[in-house]
Amino acid sequence: MKNVIMIGPASVSKGGIATVIANFEKTFTSEKVKIHYIASWKEGSPLFKVWMFLQAIMKLCYLAITQNINIVHIHTSQKGSLYRKMIFINIAKLFRAKVMLHMHGSRFGIFYDKQPKFLQKIIVNHLNRLDYIIVLSEAWKTYYENLCDTPVTVMENAVEVPFNNPYNNTSKTIVTFGNISQEKGSYDLLRAIQSLGANYQEYEFIFYGIGDISSAEEQIKQNQLTNVTLGGWVESEQKQTILEGALLHVLPSYHEALPMAILETMAHGIPNISTNVGGIPQIINNQQNGLLIEPGDVHKLHDAIADLLDNQETRQEMSTRAHQAVQSQFSMDACNTKWEQLYQSI
């Protein structure tokens, strides 16, 4: 039996990493691997976050002493998340455990380039201490292989996939999941909605997520976008109902790894309009199961939305292919088998 400690944000927290961990907790079962979960972060006051972090360190030490721990699997992104996780790397190595760092950050390269030389050296030294680096796409695999000497493995995110495609092709609701920000292309989408004008007023665009709410509200008000709603953060129970009633999902991001939002919506047969960045082209085959544009191209974004709203048959064809693509490549069962094999090989 392989004993694995998994460290990351609490599974009830907001964000893609928490969703990945929640999926592990819900679906990963094995007679050969046992996972012990440690939450190192959760929303709350600064003092509460410090307590969560210190508590996670104590739990890691306790498990390392009392259990025969083979692997410490650490989830991280960039900025403070990475620096905090360096402490866990050092503790795990102190107890002679194998360590894998699961990199989710879509802006890690930008973050790294902005660090002073001495911090870049510290980051690379810690990356070289690892036994494995886990990334979400081949592009990121190449990046980390050029940055450090640690073996890099691609393990895509995965989602639960309904057996039958539940897509509602007569819906009038277009959704976007993710933080409201320039990086996610939120303001590009608002400009595209404005340019669509009265011809598509019957469709409601709902932005689900947290972030720069006040700026988005101001732009919506200034441009009188009466068919745009800010839906706030969505809990998992609400998301199922939203997914069953969405016509399209639009995520015109500037930087991504492999977004859970795209996988979750495609699993429900919802055609996606997104950008040709990060790991997104691994799952969206342009013109086949969704549409891809270049980030920042508001004109092309407008055209892509209009094209799909105008063509019900194309939407249905894309929906069928989207559901099949996630079912075959990114289902939880297929992914959990890969994880079990990887844990066993270490």
Side-chain angles (χ1 to χ4, degrees), residues 20-61:
V20 170
I21 294 174
N23 285 338
F24 266 100
E25 290 182 347
K26 184 177 180 180
T27 68
F28 185 87
T29 58
S30 171
E31 295 180 355
K32 301 175 182 177
V33 177
K34 181 178 180 180
I35 300 180
H36 308 262
Y37 297 93
I38 296 178
S40 62
W41 185 91
K42 188 179 179 182
E43 289 89 354
S45 68
L47 187 60
F48 175 74
K49 291 176 182 176
V50 170
W51 167 241
M52 285 288 295
F53 179 68
L54 294 176
Q55 193 176 47
I57 291 175
M58 290 186 287
K59 287 181 179 178
L60 172 59
C61 293

Side-chain angles (χ1 to χ4, degrees), residues 205-345:
F205 292 81
I206 307 179
F207 289 62
Y208 289 107
I210 55 177
D212 197 359
I213 303 295
S214 58
S215 294
E217 286 177 336
E218 183 179 349
Q219 188 167 330
I220 291 167
K221 183 177 180 180
Q222 285 181 350
N223 295 308
Q224 299 180 339
L225 302 178
T226 57
N227 61 336
V228 176
T229 302
L230 302 181
W233 180 258
V234 179
E235 301 296 340
S236 57
E237 298 80 11
Q238 302 170 274
K239 185 175 285 187
Q240 185 64 32
T241 302
I242 294 167
L243 291 171
E244 291 173 356
L247 183 70
L248 301 175
H249 177 248
V250 187
L251 189 67
S253 298
Y254 285 73
H255 306 279
E256 287 289 357
L258 185 59
M260 291 295 291
I262 288 180
L263 293 178
E264 289 174 330
T265 50
M266 289 180 67
H268 284 75
I270 302 167
N272 269 252
I273 299 170
S274 193
T275 47
N276 189 25
V277 299
I280 293 175
Q282 287 179 220
I283 180 61
I284 297 182
N285 187 353
N286 190 34
Q287 300 290 339
Q288 297 299 310
N289 58 17
L291 296 177
L292 293 176
I293 63 170
E294 293 300 317
D297 194 333
V298 177
H299 178 71
K300 287 289 179 63
L301 180 58
H302 163 278
D303 289 348
I305 296 171
D307 286 347
L308 288 187
L309 293 182
D310 290 341
N311 197 322
Q312 186 176 23
E313 184 178 350
T314 298
R315 292 198 304 268
Q316 191 60 56
E317 291 172 354
M318 286 186 173
S319 170
T320 300
R321 296 189 191 113
H323 178 260
Q324 290 173 345
V326 177
Q327 197 170 50
S328 63
Q329 300 177 56
F330 301 94
S331 69
M332 291 304 307
D333 287 344
C335 185
N336 285 339
T337 298
K338 292 180 184 177
W339 277 113
E340 184 181 58
Q341 291 171 349
L342 180 60
Y343 289 142
Q344 284 287 98
S345 70

